Amino acid sequence: MTIEISSSLMCADLLNLESEILKLEKAGTDMFHMDIMDGHFVNNLALSIDLLKAIRSVSTTPLEAHLMVENPLDYIEKAKKAGADTISVHLESTPHIHKALKEVRECNMKAGIAINPGTSHLLIEPLLEETDFILTMAVNPGFAGQEFIKSTVNKVYKINKMLEENNLTNIKIEVDGNINSETIPPLYNAGARIFVGGTSGIFFGDRNYERNIDNLKNSIK
């Protein structure tokens, strides 16, 4: 089975974003990952709904809105109107996570549930029927360039086993945080199939995106 690479636009050159998007598409990215932050759920501000709309105007590549916000229900319809294809909502961000996931689907988008490194995979089991993919954080959310949390591999394995036991293998596991050619193979073997590429996998060195994305995809033998 092949893997999918989602390029994290938070790590792109925002002063030349249209050019970056075209280069990443030519290099073979499968989707774009947009971290939308409010400065509260995570102590940082990143991309916005308005920027998502601008990106959609120049690209047909699938767009994933990763909501790192305290009130995700306030963002779902706006993200849909701006052009998002999928939305991932953090389990930790709202007591109404079931409602949020359901609303994403009602807006005809794929719904993902995101979990932080310190969140048990067992907490997502009641939500699987409302979920199209599971975004597992391999770093604490909010900032690029963090060290990979090794226990993520075991968490992905447990999530994959849980999906198999519930006959829900159609749900894909995505991993975000320090994704590179060394961290992908153990995560893949554990069951992950979508990988968010940032500063350690795509946006580094001379930023040869075609070579870097090829290296990520070819890390699975």
Side-chain angles (χ1 to χ4, degrees), residues 53-218:
K53 183 177 180 180
I55 292 167
R56 174 51 75 212
S57 71
V58 298
S59 174
T60 59
T61 298
L63 283 172
E64 177 188 355
H66 178 188
L67 300 183
M68 301 185 194
V69 297
E70 282 190 347
N71 299 299
L73 286 164
D74 294 340
Y75 289 76
I76 293 169
E77 187 174 353
K78 294 176 183 177
K80 169 62 178 178
K81 290 180 178 179
D85 297 290
T86 71
I87 291 183
S88 50
V89 182
H90 271 268
L91 173 69
E92 308 86 359
S93 69
T94 174
H96 308 295
I97 185 64
H98 183 276
K99 181 179 179 180
L101 294 171
K102 188 175 181 180
E103 184 169 320
V104 172
R105 283 183 162 180
E106 288 174 349
C107 287
N108 297 315
M109 295 179 288
K110 289 185 177 181
I113 183 166
I115 55 173
N116 287 340
T119 299
S120 171
H121 70 286
L122 296 174
L123 296 177
I124 68 175
E125 188 168 11
L127 303 163
L128 294 179
E129 294 292 343
E130 299 295 336
T131 305
D132 296 297
F133 65 98
I134 299 163
L135 177 59
T136 307
M137 297 301 299
V139 300
N140 289 296
F143 295 90
Q146 299 182 62
E147 184 177 348
F148 180 80
I149 297 174
K150 295 180 180 179
S151 61
T152 307
V153 175
N154 189 43
K155 179 184 281 189
V156 168
Y157 172 81
K158 290 179 179 178
I159 293 172
N160 190 54
K161 187 175 182 180
M162 181 171 63
L163 294 174
E164 291 176 347
E165 290 172 349
N166 285 276
N167 295 315
L168 292 170
T169 53
N170 58 306
I171 296 176
K172 292 185 178 181
I173 302 173
E174 180 177 5
V175 183
D176 182 5
N178 206 321
I179 293 300
N180 54 49
S181 58
E182 294 182 0
T183 57
I184 285 179
L187 290 167
Y188 176 86
N189 291 335
R193 293 295 180 265
I194 307 173
F195 300 91
V196 180
T199 55
S200 66
I202 298 176
F203 303 92
F204 67 94
D206 60 359
R207 296 198 171 211
N208 184 325
Y209 298 151
E210 185 170 356
R211 181 195 62 210
N212 295 346
I213 290 176
D214 280 347
N215 285 342
L216 294 181
K217 291 188 175 183
N218 292 329

